[in-house]
Structure formats: C-alpha cells, structure tokens
Amino acid sequence: MNRKMNTINTLILGSGGREHAIAYKISQSKLLKNLYVAPGNSGTYNIATNLVIDINNYLEVKAIIIEKNIDLLIIGPENPLVSGLHNKLLNDNDITNLKIIGPKKEGAKLEGSKFFAKKFMEKYKIPTAEFRSFEKKEFSDAIDYLKTLSPPYVVKADGLAAGKGVFICKSLKEAENAVNEMINKSKFGDAGNTIVIESFLDGTELSVFILTDGHSYKILPSAKDYKRIGENDTGLNTGGMGAISPVPFLDEKLMLKIKNQIIEPTLKGLKNEAIDFSGFIFFGLINVNGNPYVIEYNVRLGDPETQVILPRIKSDFLKLLINIDNQSEFEKNQLLINEEATSTVILTSGGYPENYQKGAHVKGVEDVKNALIFHAGMKKEKEKYLTNGGRVLSITGQAPTLQQALKISYSNIKKIKFNNAYYRKDIGFDVT
Ligand code: AMP
Ligand code: GLY
C-alpha cells in the first residue's frame, strides 16, 4: 500500500459508551481521515460513520476493513480479542498494513482465562490472592478445598462470563452451590469447566490502565468504578454504574509499587512467554493496607472507565495509537494528562442488570450543558432517541475538583427522562 499515512482511516469495533468515548477523543485528532464505528450507537452516529455488521463474524469485519481502506483498527470489547480476531487479520494475506490496537489471543488470555492469569501472576511473582483451580472432574476436591478456607469465599469461572462469573459467598453452603452451578450445571457453559477459588482480599478497588506496544508503556489516567446496581455498593454486579478519575488515594508511593510490582513484571512476563502485546492492559487492583494486588487483568479499556479517562488526555491520542508499531516513536510520544477531575454517571433502564425493557423514548438529550454525554444502549429512530440496552448513556463532568465534576454529572443527568430510568445517586460517595 502506497497510501500516504499522514491522515488515517480508523475503525473502532463496539457499541457501548466506551466506544463513543474513544470515537469522541479520536475525532479531535488532525491525523484522522475517516472514522468508522461498527456497529456503533446513536452517539457515534453523530461523529463517525456507523457500519452495521456483526463484529464477531470475521468475514464481515474483514470486508469492511478492505472496503473502507482501514489503517488503524481499535478493538473495543474483549470477545473478539479472546477469540483471536487480531491473529486472523495478521495471517490474512488480503489484509496489509493494518495497525491493530488489542492483543492477539495469546495475550488476550490474561482476560479470557482467569486460571491462565493466576498462573502467570504466580510465575512472575505479581501480588494477587492465593488460589487453586479445579476442573470438572475435581468437584469434590474443590469442595474439600473450600472447607479449608474461611468466609467470604471467592469462586470464579475461568472463562469470559460478561462480568457475571465471579461469586463472593458469605457462607460455605453458598460457595458450594456456586461451584456446583459452574462445574456440574454448566451455568456459564464452557467458561465454567475450570474454576478458580481464591482467598478474599479486603481493601479498596482501583483501576490502572496502560497502553503498550509490548516494549514500553504509557500510563493512562487511573479510575475507580462503581460496579454494584445499588447505592452504598449493594445489590447485583453490573458492567459499571459510574466512574471517577483520578483515584484520590492513588498517591506516588502506591503508584510506584504498582509500577514495580505489577506493571513491569507483567510486561516482562509477557516478553518472557514470547507473547507480543500491543494494546491496553487494564489492571483491576485492590489496595490492601497500602499494598496493591491484582484482582483481574483486562486486555481492553473499561466501560464506563473510558468515559472518565479519555476526556483527561490532552495529547493527540490517535497519534499515540498510530505509533503502536513504531517502537522508537511510541516511546518518544508524551502523554499529557489534564489535572482536572472527571466523573461519569450511568443512566440505566429500570430492571438492569436483570430484565428490562427497550424502546422507551429518551427525552432531554439536547438539554445537556457543559458536560459530555456518551451514548450506550440507545438508538435514534425518526429523530427520536430510544433506549436499546441496559446501560443507556452516561454523563461525564470535568472540573478542578471531583465534587464539582460530580455536580456537573448529576445536574445534567436529571434533565434526561425516560420511563423507568434509574441511576445511582452516590457515585464518588466513598472518596469525596
Ligand atoms: P472480577 O470480575 O475478577 O473483577 O471480579 C468482580 C469483583 O469481585 C471485583 O471487582 C471485586 O469486587 C470482587 N473480587 C474478585 N476477586 C476478589 C478477591 N480475591 N477478593 C475480594 N474481592 C474480589
Ligand atoms: N467496568 C468494568 C469493565 O469494563 O470490565
């Protein structure tokens, strides 16, 4: 391909608030030629071209990469990464000169297999909860092991389970039941064929993100998300009900430990395993008395964390991404971060994360002022916005202090109305 690379065609895969936030950031770059999002949502529709395809269907993805002359592909969600989209594109002779943000399936195992991630951390002495893993045929060993632990018990399905495969159980009976559901009743299909049982870590969670080309890395703004549906962190786990950035208690001392004990050993470990990794690593961490432990790795950006991280990046984010395959340029690039705080609050369809209705008329989107609105499960039909998912949209505020940012998020979210809308009123409550 002889096409000049000074402006580039970019394709983002995904349809959530995360992908809208990525599209928003990239659309600010002078290096952008055309921006496509597949399948996208009503928010990406306003700033990019949405392409209606099934992103888990390789031939459909390949066809649009060729048709739209895509130079840079950003893979938003985990499924295509874990199933090896990057590998397939790399091995396809019809695809040339495509830069890809997101690891190959070998690297994506850090997220796709909790057992793999735990073994990796054990091998490279990365702090994490003590664990044992069990296969289907080891059901009774798993139960015996549980009996040696004290509550709360942590039981996890090995594979991807859309954030639902982790059980924190108060009683032994509950934990035995979780093991039984996964191993014997295949609650999560093959994802639960292997399970991990680990010790419970008592501390405060935070998330740290890096972008790496496999050699050097850039630390993105940190974030804290609020996973539970109910106020004061109660009720069912969700994809995330809100997030803040930066994390107020993440001081230099803790960050240094995270770098030395977690980020760098992870990158060294990947190198040592000959896993070349280009993309984001999202370290889900827990701070236990000033010491960071890894709860999980993700190999992509978080949703809704992206909606608070990217608005704080001052540098040309697209430029950084373009240099993913140019080691010396990537290393040279500086990542400038705005000192201001951001917050995002998610507006959901009542009933989420369980059953909820779609198709409610969303009013007030145009009334949002001095804030960013990121669409998620929302679509536009005949000039009307309609709900189209559990997490409908999020409102990001940015201001010198977190309190002010939250005020912006909350004063704007109130303006948006639809039948059965629900949001948490206490995002940031524990750190403000
Ligand atoms: P994960 O999907 O692995 O991030 O787990 C979901 C949630 O379960 C985490 O955000 C934590 O709140 C909780 N969790 C997972 N593992 C542990 C652990 N070992 N100790 C305490 N909490 C945990
Ligand atoms: N908000 C958590 C995640 O994206 O996995």
Side-chain angles (χ1 to χ4, degrees):
M1 234 191 277
N2 290 323
R3 200 145 34 89
K4 279 212 312 213
M5 285 299 290
N6 46 2
T7 61
I8 70 152
N9 289 326
T10 302
L11 169 63
I12 302 166
L13 298 185
S15 62
R18 166 182 49 207
E19 286 74 22
H20 186 189
I22 298 172
Y24 156 78
K25 193 76 219 169
I26 282 179
S27 66
Q28 298 168 345
S29 173
K30 288 194 184 73
L31 297 170
L32 180 68
K33 192 193 278 170
N34 294 301
L35 181 59
Y36 301 95
V37 187
N41 59 34
S42 52
T44 60
Y45 175 84
N46 294 332
I47 53 173
T49 304
N50 282 351
L51 301 168
V52 184
I53 60 156
D54 172 4
I55 64 167
N56 292 304
N57 180 322
Y58 178 67
L59 292 179
E60 290 187 31
V61 174
K62 171 181 171 174
I64 56 166
I65 287 172
I66 294 173
E67 185 192 319
K68 304 295 181 192
N69 257 320
I70 300 300
D71 303 295
L72 177 74
L73 174 69
I74 302 166
I75 304 173
E78 59 277 21
N79 290 75
L81 292 166
V82 171
S83 61
L85 175 59
H86 188 146
N87 307 61
K88 284 183 201 150
L89 289 166
L90 207 67
N91 295 331
D92 192 325
N93 291 333
D94 298 336
I95 306 275
T96 47
N97 289 342
L98 177 69
K99 297 165 194 273
I100 303 175
I101 304 294
K104 300 191 206 84
K105 70 173 176 213
E106 294 76 14
K109 269 183 107 171
L110 281 182
E111 176 165 0
S113 166
K114 296 211 188 282
F115 177 47
F116 174 85
K118 294 297 281 191
K119 271 196 309 183
F120 178 90
M121 288 187 268
E122 188 174 54
K123 183 166 175 187
Y124 294 101
K125 302 195 167 41
I126 295 164
T128 188
E130 275 180 40
F131 77 102
R132 289 238 347 238
S133 71
F134 301 92
E135 292 177 21
K136 255 186 185 322
K137 58 178 188 293
E138 297 167 314
F139 174 71
S140 57
D141 298 336
I143 302 298
D144 289 344
Y145 179 61
L146 278 175
K147 288 179 183 156
T148 69
L149 304 175
S150 45
Y153 305 90
V154 183
V155 181
K156 301 183 174 184
D158 173 55
L160 291 184
K164 296 191 180 118
V166 174
F167 290 83
I168 313 288
C169 309
K170 290 196 191 81
S171 69
L172 183 61
K173 198 156 188 290
E174 217 183 297
E176 287 176 352
N177 192 40
V179 173
N180 187 36
E181 290 277 322
M182 285 185 205
I183 285 198
N184 293 332
K185 298 202 178 150
S186 299
K187 185 173 177 139
F188 300 108
D190 289 347
N193 282 350
T194 299
I195 61 160
V196 169
I197 297 177
E198 62 183 44
S199 57
F200 180 81
L201 296 171
D202 197 5
T204 315
E205 287 179 57
L206 70 154
S207 302
V208 166
F209 303 82
I210 63 164
L211 175 67
T212 180
D213 64 348
H215 305 284
S216 61
Y217 65 93
K218 309 286 172 196
I219 300 182
L220 307 180
S222 61
K224 184 173 192 316
D225 80 334
Y226 293 81
K227 287 198 175 79
R228 302 295 197 91
I229 188 72
E231 273 148 33
N232 293 314
D233 289 337
T234 52
L236 293 175
N237 255 323
T238 70
M241 295 297 290
I244 57 162
S245 179
V247 177
F249 59 85
L250 177 52
D251 55 18
E252 263 178 48
K253 200 169 153 208
L254 181 59
M255 194 64 215
L256 195 66
K257 286 186 185 172
I258 293 171
K259 267 197 215 170
N260 293 339
Q261 299 171 15
I262 293 171
I263 299 177
E264 293 183 4
T266 298
L267 293 177
K268 265 197 203 130
L270 288 169
K271 268 207 160 149
N272 200 50
E273 300 294 316
I275 296 174
D276 47 279
F277 194 108
S278 60
F280 300 104
I281 305 183
F282 162 170
F283 299 87
L285 307 175
I286 190 157
N287 175 22
V288 184
N289 301 323
N291 289 314
Y293 289 78
V294 177
I295 291 226
E296 64 164 357
Y297 287 112
N298 295 305
V299 296
R300 51 171 174 87
L301 287 176
D303 188 343
E305 292 88 340
T306 308
Q307 293 90 306
V308 288
I309 292 174
L310 294 192
R312 292 189 56 222
I313 292 184
K314 289 202 286 192
S315 323
D316 185 330
F317 192 56
L318 184 59
K319 186 170 171 207
L320 193 65
L321 298 177
I322 293 170
N323 284 329
I324 199 79
D325 59 355
N326 185 334
Q327 196 178 334
S328 61
E329 283 302 312
F330 181 81
E331 200 169 347
K332 263 194 259 162
N333 265 183
Q334 261 204 323
L335 183 68
L336 298 174
I337 293 172
N338 192 320
E339 294 293 319
E340 289 193 332
T342 47
S343 60
T344 205
V345 180
I346 304 256
L347 190 59
T348 65
S349 304
Y352 171 81
E354 295 186 289
N355 294 336
Y356 56 84
Q357 287 191 330
K358 292 184 185 177
H361 182 189
V362 183
K363 294 181 193 153
V365 170
E366 291 78 12
D367 301 330
V368 170
K369 296 271 153 28
N370 306 318
L372 294 166
I373 173 164
F374 293 118
H375 302 199
M378 188 153 78
K379 62 178 180 182
K380 203 169 187 182
E381 261 179 31
K382 297 186 190 136
E383 295 310 301
K384 270 189 188 169
Y385 286 113
L386 302 176
T387 63
N388 194 34
R391 293 191 294 173
V392 175
L393 56 87
S394 71
I395 304 281
T396 297
Q398 179 159 11
T401 68
L402 177 58
Q403 283 87 342
Q404 291 164 329
L406 283 162
K407 218 169 162 186
I408 297 172
S409 292
Y410 279 115
S411 61
N412 279 288
I413 208 163
K414 280 192 202 128
K415 299 176 187 165
I416 300 186
K417 308 262 188 239
F418 60 85
N419 211 1
N420 244 340
Y422 168 78
Y423 62 92
R424 267 180 69 167
K425 316 253 176 342
D426 66 343
I427 300 303
F429 73 106
D430 51 342
V431 289
T432 47

